[in-house]
């Protein structure tokens, strides 16, 4: 006879494991299902795992700020036993390039001032003092390498914003496994290496799932945390129709380039949201620079089937490295650029969906749009509170849960991350969120 659970979570990425942890901590019997052999080996595994607090929306920035202390105090948050191997947070600070076309970052300053995010304003000369290899030139808009104006510098940036409370996790898979272990210590169970192939419903409510090996598990609550497969699981549950905001799998690449000779970028580098060159960068272990994309207009977006896409890096990684070389002229770009190719579960407005659905008991924590690794702890808490709210009889679509964010004085109206919201025009419509 199959066991019954208070909740089944589909997907053991950073989001699914955080949800499983928070739900198990609150006393629920949770079952996590993951099609891969280990937790965090989906899109989380290739995440740049940058922890920053600047977002284009006030709610987005508040959510990120409320998560920050959990990364600073990871061992406390996961309640690890002494000697456990834990992911380590490295605080290095994050720059944000400001130029005319992004209105000199004024909106970000307003948001930072409203919710007390510390920042400094750095002039080009301060930038050079702090990072001797940087060229604080102005290159916007980003171009492709075959554009005759590629690399053309049209002046210097007026200034950048520097957010000292920012850093990264260099092993996002380990962080996810730390969450999974924490969930397990609170009684959660996981089945690894099994795909959810069917979602059962009866009388307008979800009743359970079936796995590829034929086993069935029953629960009145099922949560879709399947990352770039989210739309497939939603289709399986029959809830896609009722969504105003949809999700799709977007293929992206990140270049891994050696630091310029004689410079220790791993130790002395910063993170940067560098829309001026159409990308972002951060230090990486092994004295490398990771260079991602911020989806500049000249690069077509590559929507793919998450079960059938090219996992090799292509010329796109080289293009991103070349853009990085505008910022670091002494950085050599190898002929064959190393890196990774993976997927974002992108929503229509690059803001996540943390919500219930039109099917009773079926929830979703999806559409993380390349920018929600950092938010996993509070997303876990919020989803647990949302399940209690809705299962307790509330109509979340009519009266969205007002969730008091931990570690700060801010109440997040979860309409912000509703599937039924209108497109949020405040979004950057890029990975910045
Ligand atoms: C290249 C890259 C860089 C990024 N950089 C950052 C960053 O710097 N900062 C930041 O905050 N965020 C970043 N992100 C985003 C962040 O990593 C994601 O938002 C987050 O990892 C998503 O976690 P998830 O658990 O939703 O998805 P995933 O990790 O993809 O987990 C979903 C899991 O569901 C499983 N699954 C799917 N279908 C099924 C099924 N039918 N049955 C069972 N299991 C199933 C998958 O195998 C997978 O393991 C980045 C993402 C990428 C790809």
């Amino acid at each position: 006879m199959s066991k019954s659970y208070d909740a089944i979570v589909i997907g053991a990425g950073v989001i699914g494991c955080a949800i499983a942890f928070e739900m198990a901590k609150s006393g629920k019997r949770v079952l996590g299902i993951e099609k891969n052999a280990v937790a965090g080996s989906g899109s989380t595994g290739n995440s740049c795992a940058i922890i920053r607090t600047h977002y284009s929306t006030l709610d987005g920035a508040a959510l990120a700020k409320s998560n920050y202390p959990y990364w600073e105090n990871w061992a406390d948050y996961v309640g690890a036993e002494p000697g456990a191997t834990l992911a380590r947070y490295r605080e290095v600070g994050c720059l944000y390039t400001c130029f005319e076309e992004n209105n000199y970052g004024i909106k970000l300053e307003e948001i930072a001032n409203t919710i007390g995010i510390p920042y400094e304003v750095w002039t080009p000369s301060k930038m050079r003092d702090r990072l001797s290899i940087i060229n604080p030139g102005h290159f916007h808009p980003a171009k492709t390498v075959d554009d005759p104006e590629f690399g053309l510098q049209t002046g210097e940036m007026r200034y950048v914003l520097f957010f000292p409370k920012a850093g990264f996790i260099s092993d996002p898979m380990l962080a996810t496994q730390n969450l999974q272990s924490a969930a397990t210590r609170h009684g959660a169970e996981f089945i690894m290496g099994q795909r959810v192939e069917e979602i059962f419903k009866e009388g307008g409510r979800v009743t359970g799932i079936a796995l590829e090996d034929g086993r069935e598990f029953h629960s009145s609550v099922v949560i879709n945390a399947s990352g770039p497969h989210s739309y497939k699981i939603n289709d399986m549950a029959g809830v896609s129709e009722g969504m105003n905001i949809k999700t799709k799998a977007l293929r992206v690449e990140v270049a891994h380039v050696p630091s310029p000779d004689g410079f220790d970028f791993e130790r002395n580098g910063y993170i940067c949201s560098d829309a001026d060159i159409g990308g972002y960068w951060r230090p990486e272990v092994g004295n490398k620079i990771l260079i991602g994309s911020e989806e500049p207009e000249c690069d077509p977006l590559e929507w793919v089937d998450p079960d059938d896409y090219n996992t090799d890096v292509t010329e796109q990684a080289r293009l991103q490295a070349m853009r990085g070389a505008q910022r670091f002229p002494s950085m050599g770009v190898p002929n064959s650029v190393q890196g990774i190719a993976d997927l974002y579960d992108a929503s229509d407005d690059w803001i996540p969906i943390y919500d219930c659905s039109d099917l009773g008991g079926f929830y979703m924590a999806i559409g993380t749009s390349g920018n929600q690794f950092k938010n996993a702890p509070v997303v876990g808490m919020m989803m647990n509170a949302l399940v209690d709210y809705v299962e307790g009889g509330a109509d979340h679509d009519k009266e969205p849960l007002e969730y008091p964010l931990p570690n700060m004085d801010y109440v997040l109206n979860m309409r912000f991350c509703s599937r039924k919201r209108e497109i949020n025009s405040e979004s950057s419509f890029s990975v910045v969120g």
Side-chain angles (χ1 to χ4, degrees), residues 23-65:
M23 291 190 104
K25 215 167 32 174
S26 78
K28 298 185 177 74
R29 286 165 305 147
V30 180
L31 176 66
I33 311 280
E34 169 56 53
K35 70 178 171 58
N36 295 342
V38 291
S41 58
S43 66
T44 299
N46 276 325
S47 179
C48 292
I50 294 169
I51 314 293
R52 56 167 164 95
T53 53
H54 68 269
Y55 273 80
S56 313
T57 60
L58 182 61
D59 286 334
L63 181 55
K65 184 181 185 227

Side-chain angles (χ1 to χ4, degrees), residues 55-103:
Y55 273 80
S56 313
T57 60
L58 182 61
D59 286 334
L63 181 55
K65 184 181 185 227
S66 89
N67 272 283
Y68 199 80
Y70 301 116
W71 297 109
E72 288 182 303
N73 304 295
W74 188 243
D76 289 348
Y77 173 60
V78 294
E81 278 144 21
T85 308
L86 295 180
R88 283 200 14 237
Y89 174 62
R90 226 190 113 212
E91 185 170 271
V92 296
C94 183
L95 305 165
Y96 179 87
T97 54
C98 301
F99 45 96
E100 191 180 351
E101 294 84 347
N102 71 0
N103 205 16

Side-chain angles (χ1 to χ4, degrees), residues 10 198-209 219-224 233-243 355-364 386-387 390-391 394 396-397 419-420:
I10 305 174
E198 197 177 345
I199 292 171
F200 301 123
K201 308 174 238 180
E202 208 179 294
R205 282 200 64 91
V206 72
T207 56
I209 53 108
S219 177
S220 57
V221 171
V222 172
I223 302 174
N224 176 3
I233 297 290
N234 279 347
D235 285 350
M236 210 185 271
V239 299
S240 303
E241 280 283 287
M243 298 171 65
D355 202 358
C356 55
S357 74
D358 291 2
L359 175 65
F362 187 82
Y363 296 78
M364 57 188 89
L386 178 66
V387 168
V390 176
E391 298 307 307
H396 178 62
D397 289 334
R419 73 203 184 285
K420 297 215 186 257

